[in-house]
Amino acid sequence: MEILMGFFFILVIVSAVAVAELRDLLAAALALGACGFFVGILFFLMMAPDLAIVQLIVEIMMVVVLVIALARTHRKSSEPESAKTTLALGVIVACVFILFSVAVVPLMTEFGSPQYNPEVSQRYIDEGVENTGSQNLVTAVLLDYRAYDTLGEIVVLFASVLGMSLVLRKVSKRMAEGKECL
Amino acid sequence: MNFPYLAALALFSVGLYCILVKRDLFKIIYGICLMGYSINLLLISLGYVWGGTVPIISGSSTAVPVDPLLQAMVITAIVIEFAAVALMVSVAIRLFEQYRSTDVKKIRRLRG
Amino acid sequence: MSLIIQTVSRGITPFIFVYAIYLILTGHTSPGGAFAGGVAIGLLIVLWYAAFKLSTAERRVSCFTAHAGRILGLLGFLTMGTIALLLGKGFLENFLPKVAGHLTMSGVIILLALGVGILVGCETVLIFYYLFGRRPKGERR
């Protein structure tokens, strides 16, 4: 299990580097999809099947949205920053990575050990089924204990689609003539 | 053995690099996506317990389930991230129609 | 848009729909949940768009229906919370009888899941319609 997880973590990072470095935006979007699928598999390996389902379906949607957007714009990525700036920023990001991995990660609890704050989660695990009548504790937390969170989330979704309707209000000439974008 | 935390941190660094160095709007959106994945992975690996089962209680099993609270929060985060990406993409399309380019250096000029 | 793709997509449409409804309605006993189910409903639009034309998808789920659905989902969610408030409980509290492990007796969870599922599905449909450059009838610039 450990080796399998490590393998998929490496795949996630490799595809993330591909996303950052590919010059073709369509290829980078597909690499982003691959990265999301590996993240979904990792969720499944870490005992979160609900999350795996949501991540896989949302990832498909995200790739489709990006492909439609690229069809409406163009495929070729613009030039990155100059070589000197790239090197300087890369060194800064690498320094931040090394600093955090040396200073912060050793302070965190060991991977797979019982938790930092067990009280809340332990209460949900112990009493969740009697309190809510839901065997799936994730749904119990999502729609019963913390329904306010879900309310806030669906309001955010509502507002973002409202924003899209405002931003994409003006239709380009080709589409106004009734042609389809792809 | 903290490799999931290190991997999540590395993914975050790649996303940050992508945002800082690339000048294409779509590359910046991809970098934000990568950072979102890394945060989700970090939260889920914080909640994992060795030998834990899925947080679905059936019958009277004595196995320890993994943390359901973090999973519920990450579900919320994934869906909100999707909505945010859709909004960002529509802004990028709008900017392309106005300036015929997605380079952030070229769309600096204000135009009505 | 070949004949094979059209026939296959016509065949698998009901299965995807049933799977989405299953994910929404049994989120409390098995993995799944309202969000996954809602987004799966939205994926049907992409399938119809890829296999047929956009007008076919619009004839099945019009922009008006999607707008009505998302408002209905949000109002349903808020109504469930308000009913609990009127009955003397807290906002969004579970006020219906609940039996652990029963398929339908999980109180208000199943109704809230239905509201969230309808809302998320309609939002996804609308995201695609806006990206395809369509606007609901009667909305002028």
Side-chain angles (χ1 to χ4, degrees):
Chain A
M1 188 64 101
E2 216 170 1
I3 298 169
L4 208 59
M5 270 187 212
F7 177 66
F8 280 111
F9 270 117
I10 290 169
L11 280 181
V12 165
I13 292 171
V14 167
S15 48
V17 172
V19 170
E21 286 307 323
L22 279 173
R23 298 299 299 277
D24 188 354
L25 285 176
L26 187 62
L30 296 183
L32 187 74
C35 187
F37 269 99
F38 293 136
V39 170
I41 292 171
L42 274 172
F43 285 159
F44 186 71
L45 289 179
M46 288 186 189
M47 298 295 162
D50 305 79
L51 275 174
I53 294 173
V54 173
Q55 171 76 32
L56 294 186
I57 294 182
V58 166
E59 194 54 47
I60 296 168
M61 299 299 276
M62 207 185 274
V63 171
V64 173
V65 164
L66 288 173
V67 168
I68 293 167
L70 290 176
R72 283 184 68 168
T73 60
H74 63 168
R75 262 176 83 163
K76 204 169 148 296
S77 169
S78 54
E79 292 291 313
E81 299 277 356
S82 65
K84 209 186 280 179
T85 324
T86 304
L87 190 66
L89 288 173
V91 167
I92 290 174
V93 171
C95 286
V96 168
F97 171 68
I98 292 171
L99 185 72
F100 269 81
S101 58
V102 169
V104 178
V105 171
L107 298 180
M108 297 168 82
T109 52
E110 189 81 3
F111 174 64
S113 62
Q115 281 317 302
Y116 47 94
N117 179 15
E119 280 177 33
V120 180
S121 307
Q122 200 57 49
R123 193 181 145 90
Y124 290 159
I125 291 169
D126 290 339
E127 304 173 7
V129 179
E130 296 100 73
N131 281 352
T132 66
S134 160
Q135 285 179 327
N136 188 345
L137 292 177
V138 178
T139 306
V141 174
L142 208 60
L143 289 178
D144 193 308
Y145 284 118
R146 288 174 180 257
Y148 267 115
D149 283 7
T150 309
L151 178 62
E153 184 206 343
I154 60 177
V155 170
V156 168
L157 260 178
F158 200 87
S160 90
V161 173
L162 217 59
M164 279 186 76
S165 74
L166 205 64
V167 169
L168 293 178
R169 170 168 289 260
K170 203 171 145 195
V171 179
S172 65
K173 196 182 283 175
R174 200 163 67 100
M175 285 186 187
E177 287 164 4
K179 286 183 187 143
E180 299 186 1
C181 66
L182 289 178
Chain B
M1 278 307 287
N2 280 335
F3 66 92
Y5 305 152
L6 280 177
L9 190 54
L11 194 57
F12 192 88
S13 309
V14 174
L16 193 62
Y17 170 82
C18 196
I19 290 177
L20 286 177
V21 170
K22 307 296 174 188
R23 293 204 308 219
D24 197 279
L25 275 175
F26 280 96
K27 278 295 176 83
I28 293 172
I29 293 173
Y30 298 163
I32 292 172
C33 285
L34 289 178
M35 288 162 86
Y37 292 158
S38 82
I39 299 299
N40 294 345
L41 268 180
L42 180 70
L43 283 177
I44 289 300
S45 30
L46 271 176
Y48 184 68
V49 182
W50 281 124
T53 58
V54 292
I56 297 172
I57 312 275
S58 57
S60 56
S61 64
T62 53
V64 184
V66 299
D67 197 340
L69 176 59
L70 291 173
Q71 296 194 5
M73 288 183 170
V74 172
I75 282 192
T76 313
I78 291 173
V79 179
I80 286 184
E81 194 192 326
F82 170 59
V85 165
L87 187 57
M88 284 190 284
V89 156
S90 57
V91 172
I93 291 174
R94 198 76 192 82
L95 282 171
F96 179 82
E97 282 171 0
Q98 194 83 347
Y99 294 96
R100 312 309 300 172
S101 165
T102 51
D103 193 337
V104 284
K105 283 274 165 71
K106 285 182 188 152
I107 56 183
R108 193 180 270 166
R109 204 155 39 93
L110 279 177
R111 206 163 72 178
Chain C
M1 298 196 191
S2 70
L3 186 66
I4 296 173
I5 295 178
Q6 288 187 354
T7 311
V8 169
S9 68
R10 209 174 278 137
I12 65 175
T13 295
F15 291 102
I16 296 178
F17 196 72
V18 168
Y19 180 60
I21 298 294
Y22 164 79
L23 280 181
I24 292 175
L25 288 186
T26 65
H28 56 285
T29 54
S30 59
F35 295 109
V39 182
I41 288 179
L43 270 176
L44 276 177
I45 293 296
V46 183
L47 180 69
W48 292 338
Y49 174 66
F52 308 103
K53 278 197 241 157
L54 186 54
S55 51
T56 313
E58 270 183 328
R59 214 177 315 127
R60 292 186 182 173
V61 182
S62 69
C63 269
F64 179 79
T65 316
H67 273 286
R70 72 177 183 150
I71 292 170
L72 202 73
L74 189 58
L75 282 185
F77 200 92
L78 289 175
T79 311
M80 278 300 137
T82 316
I83 288 174
L85 208 60
L86 290 179
L87 289 177
K89 304 263 180 94
F91 187 64
L92 286 173
E93 202 173 324
N94 203 337
F95 60 88
L96 291 173
K98 51 219 171 205
V99 179
H102 198 280
L103 196 59
T104 52
M105 298 275 285
S106 68
V108 81
I109 284 182
I110 206 162
L111 298 172
L112 290 183
L114 206 59
V116 173
I118 291 173
L119 181 128
V120 174
C122 293
E123 300 286 4
T124 334
V125 170
L126 276 179
I127 285 176
F128 281 111
Y129 280 165
Y130 282 129
L131 279 178
F132 289 143
R134 287 292 199 275
R135 279 169 303 146
K137 270 179 196 162
E139 190 182 314
R140 295 272 172 260
R141 79 180 61 162

